[in-house]
Amino acid sequence: MGKRTRQAAFAALISATLALGACGGDDDNGSAANGGTGGNGGNGGNGGTTQPASVQPLSGGSLYVGAVSFGDTVSVELDKPAAGQLTLRFLDSRFGLAGALVGQYVLEDGTYRVTGLAASGTDVPAALAAAAAAITFRFTLDDGVLSGALGQVPNVKAGNGALLQGYISAGNRGAQLADIAGTYSYLRQAGDAASAGQLNIGADGNVRVCAGLGYSADCAGGQSGKLAADADQSRYPGAFALTLGGSTVGRLFVGRQQGQVALFVDETGASATAPTGSWVVRTATAVAANGIDGDWVCAEPELDDKNAATGRTRRNIVSVAGTTLAADNIPVDVTLAYNRAGGAAANGLVSGTWQATVAGQAQSLGLTWLPVSKNLAYQLRQVPGSTRQLPAVCAPMAAPTPVSTYLTATAGQNILVTLADLRPTQPAIGRDQIYYKLGRYAADPIKKFDDACETNGQNKTSTWDAATSRLSDLASFSCTKAVGNKPADMKTLVVGPYGEPFLTDGHHSFTSIWDADTGGAQSKMWIRVQDNLSTLNRATFFRTLRERKLIWSKDGANQPTYPADLPRALGLKNGLGNDPYRALVYFTRDIGYSQPTDATEFTEFYWGDWLRGVVDLKTVNLDDTASYLDAVHRASAAMVALAPDAVVSNGKTAAQLGGLTTLNETEFTALSQPVGSTKPGKLPYAVAYRLGLKP
């Protein structure tokens, strides 16, 4: 398909009118607002008409009212009922949501994260109250506009366990109708349908929508409608009712900012069966070249392998430089065209296209951005293999302080790294493995120095002093070999953007040293460099790690995770979750499998992925050593029963992952020896240490 053909195909896709009862072609129920210039953002207001006094806009403060993109109306009030808390209230819902939830919010890496949501009041449906704690919500504040992703919200009306995901767009400063007259660019999404284009609002309330085009009073296929004050200003302060073609679309809320206006529509639909969604609308001013350059996190609905929505939020890293956009979830770079909606001129929009192969067939795909400010943008992205588009809200990523120490490191080099500098490439560890190490270190202190020597490729401890030797001081003990003498024992990293070192092997070893009594975040260890990718942008970097299978993308509950959600540091208290199956695999080592000499990264996670279908740890009392040991034995027996060429996970066979053919009962007996015996086993150490942490 040629370039012009691809652009035409995408223009046709993005300009397709939403299949809603509220939508039709041009009609006579409302006249098009006069004025405005196609794609150039001219003011289309005709002036002189004032909004009825019944409109009561917000004028700032802690209360934000607006839309959530699955079609509901919400409010968010900050520092209510107390400082550091917020109240999320469902004002109008097609999904049976009602009442208020209260949670805590804290600032993390430039965005606010909400935790501990719980029902407040008696009007919250039981299903919503029961699921409140699992709801995820992250948001940003930008000059009177609150925006962010809301996920894992129960569809109370459906009553079948289905979950909703969407983004909230709300403002705390409204305006009268005459103040918002003008031409705007917009993104619109309802159900699986979407469009981008421009619209005009007249000071008399007349609205004209041009899908896939810059605004003009006679745009092809345009729709005309009306804005009027919403009847319930006490519940929906400052809201306008939007109709198109004489049918209800939803409420429009104003987010008035310095020098511009953002508008948000909760598309509730013209009937109880019409698809729901939202609009994001911004003053149609041109986006400057390089105006959206930088790294962003775009939060969109997560889809499963069959492209069905899961109700969870997927946060993708997106890097923009001029006319090139890279995203960690798109396998190739996207070519951007500024101030375009598909193939038409439309100030304020940025469109992009790329090629993909789906089921052996080439497909031209597209996305559209609507930047609201330097701190906020919205996106529609086409799903490969379909015409469906996913809405996303995007916020810039803070640039970390460059770590110049590692910028010049080369592949194959052994470098000294401070543990606090290391960035994980997996979201979870098997904490019981760490607990074994810490319990063993307390009972047998030389073990921690043996582990440090081994990790540095130096075999084992040569000399140490119980009173003065510390893991945080490599000079306070010695090893039998020189650094790197046994390279196969060393851990590995890849140098990423800004010189940050990303650990690709060694999360358990270095977390054990971090949390050991003489270790800590400032401990230094020798690590082998796999590659230096510091010249890549962040999206391309993580895309490369995924292609090379140097990143593990499942959490401790076996749910998908994404690079934007990786913890920023090692250690038991810095965000690394717990994967009990990863710990289970550790205890089967040399019983059901042996670590291969040329082991692939994440060998234990591949085994753990498979064991989830073999041993149900929810039925195992992990606080009881005998019960835990029985689970280890059953897991090991299942491992050795596999044929060498049996696929375990991700295409890896049992032989490739070190599967044994006979269960090693001698090693299992050694694993089982209780604490206090001549040579206690690993698992009793782990259980005893973990139980000792409980109050």
Side-chain angles (χ1 to χ4, degrees), residues 300-543:
E300 67 181 20
E302 181 189 75
L303 303 180
D304 63 17
D305 293 340
K306 297 180 180 179
N307 281 343
T310 67
R312 288 163 36 99
T313 297
R314 173 171 182 157
R315 300 193 329 131
N316 304 309
I317 295 176
V318 176
S319 300
V320 181
T323 58
T324 301
L325 178 149
D328 68 26
N329 64 323
I330 299 176
V332 296
D333 288 347
V334 177
T335 301
L336 299 178
Y338 284 72
N339 303 303
R340 309 286 293 180
N347 278 350
L349 294 171
V350 181
S351 63
T353 57
W354 75 98
Q355 288 287 304
T357 301
V358 181
Q361 299 294 316
Q363 182 182 10
S364 183
L365 298 163
L367 58 76
T368 306
W369 269 50
L370 176 64
V372 173
S373 72
K374 65 179 181 180
N375 298 317
L376 176 63
Y378 293 87
Q379 175 186 270
L380 288 173
R381 179 183 67 85
Q382 189 178 351
V383 177
S386 73
T387 59
R388 178 183 184 183
Q389 296 198 45
L390 295 181
V393 59
C394 306
M397 295 180 70
T401 302
V403 187
S404 59
T405 307
Y406 314 113
L407 279 172
T408 59
T410 58
Q413 182 181 6
N414 296 329
I415 62 173
L416 193 63
V417 175
T418 302
L419 296 192
D421 292 340
L422 292 170
R423 303 289 176 251
T425 55
Q426 62 192 50
I429 54 176
R431 289 196 166 218
D432 279 351
Q433 178 176 338
I434 310 300
Y435 295 151
Y436 152 64
K437 292 288 188 179
L438 297 179
R440 176 76 181 275
Y441 293 167
D444 186 12
I446 193 175
K447 173 62 177 173
K448 58 190 172 189
F449 299 108
D450 281 341
D451 283 354
C453 288
E454 179 182 355
T455 300
N456 285 337
Q458 296 179 275
N459 196 35
K460 62 181 180 180
T461 307
S462 174
T463 62
W464 70 291
D465 185 276
T468 61
S469 293
R470 301 183 59 82
L471 288 172
S472 59
D473 180 7
L474 293 180
S476 67
F477 61 97
S478 65
C479 307
T480 60
K481 303 288 185 181
V483 171
N485 183 267
K486 301 182 71 174
D489 292 341
M490 298 186 72
K491 308 308 178 184
T492 54
L493 63 79
V494 173
V495 181
Y498 300 96
E500 291 191 304
F502 284 81
L503 190 64
T504 53
D505 181 36
H507 295 75
H508 291 79
S509 296
F510 293 138
T511 293
S512 297
I513 292 172
W514 181 303
D515 282 285
D517 59 345
T518 65
Q522 296 306 311
S523 298
K524 298 181 184 296
M525 298 294 291
W526 289 92
I527 306 181
R528 182 167 54 86
V529 178
Q530 278 183 295
D531 205 348
N532 188 326
L533 302 177
S534 59
T535 59
L536 300 180
N537 60 53
R538 284 198 269 196
T540 304
F541 171 73
F542 283 110
R543 194 168 71 194

Side-chain angles (χ1 to χ4, degrees), residues 146-402:
L146 181 151
S147 59
L150 186 69
Q152 296 180 215
V153 181
N155 185 336
V156 175
K157 185 177 180 180
N160 58 3
L163 298 174
L164 303 167
Q165 191 281 345
Y167 58 72
I168 290 177
S169 299
N172 72 348
R173 289 197 299 267
Q176 299 294 333
L177 181 55
D179 298 321
I180 63 172
T183 301
Y184 295 84
S185 296
Y186 74 87
L187 299 181
R188 180 185 186 186
Q189 173 269 330
D192 290 342
S195 65
Q198 288 191 332
L199 60 83
N200 182 268
I201 299 173
D204 57 359
N206 286 327
V207 177
R208 178 74 170 173
V209 178
C210 300
L213 299 168
Y215 172 73
S216 67
D218 58 354
C219 60
Q223 297 175 279
S224 297
K226 194 77 175 178
L227 275 181
D230 188 271
D232 191 348
Q233 290 292 308
S234 61
R235 189 169 182 83
Y236 313 109
F240 297 88
L242 173 64
T243 59
L244 285 177
S247 297
T248 299
V249 174
R251 297 181 190 86
L252 180 146
F253 296 90
V254 178
R256 194 169 189 175
Q257 298 182 295
Q258 296 296 322
Q260 68 170 16
V261 174
L263 308 175
F264 312 113
V265 179
D266 58 349
E267 182 145 354
T268 54
S271 68
T273 58
T276 60
S278 69
W279 302 44
V280 180
V281 186
R282 177 193 180 271
T283 307
T285 53
V287 181
N290 307 111
I292 57 174
D293 279 9
D295 297 320
W296 299 74
V297 173
C298 292
E300 67 181 20
E302 181 189 75
L303 303 180
D304 63 17
D305 293 340
K306 297 180 180 179
N307 281 343
T310 67
R312 288 163 36 99
T313 297
R314 173 171 182 157
R315 300 193 329 131
N316 304 309
I317 295 176
V318 176
S319 300
V320 181
T323 58
T324 301
L325 178 149
D328 68 26
N329 64 323
I330 299 176
V332 296
D333 288 347
V334 177
T335 301
L336 299 178
Y338 284 72
N339 303 303
R340 309 286 293 180
N347 278 350
L349 294 171
V350 181
S351 63
T353 57
W354 75 98
Q355 288 287 304
T357 301
V358 181
Q361 299 294 316
Q363 182 182 10
S364 183
L365 298 163
L367 58 76
T368 306
W369 269 50
L370 176 64
V372 173
S373 72
K374 65 179 181 180
N375 298 317
L376 176 63
Y378 293 87
Q379 175 186 270
L380 288 173
R381 179 183 67 85
Q382 189 178 351
V383 177
S386 73
T387 59
R388 178 183 184 183
Q389 296 198 45
L390 295 181
V393 59
C394 306
M397 295 180 70
T401 302

Side-chain angles (χ1 to χ4, degrees), residues 546 549 551-552 606 609 647-653 656-657:
R546 182 180 290 114
K549 298 183 179 179
I551 186 171
W552 185 256
Y606 290 131
D609 190 43
V647 174
V648 175
S649 176
N650 204 35
K652 305 292 185 182
T653 66
Q656 290 173 320
L657 297 176

Side-chain angles (χ1 to χ4, degrees), residues 105-122:
Y105 73 101
V106 295
L107 185 63
E108 288 184 356
D109 297 326
T111 64
Y112 293 95
R113 184 169 68 92
V114 180
T115 59
L117 284 169
S120 176
T122 59

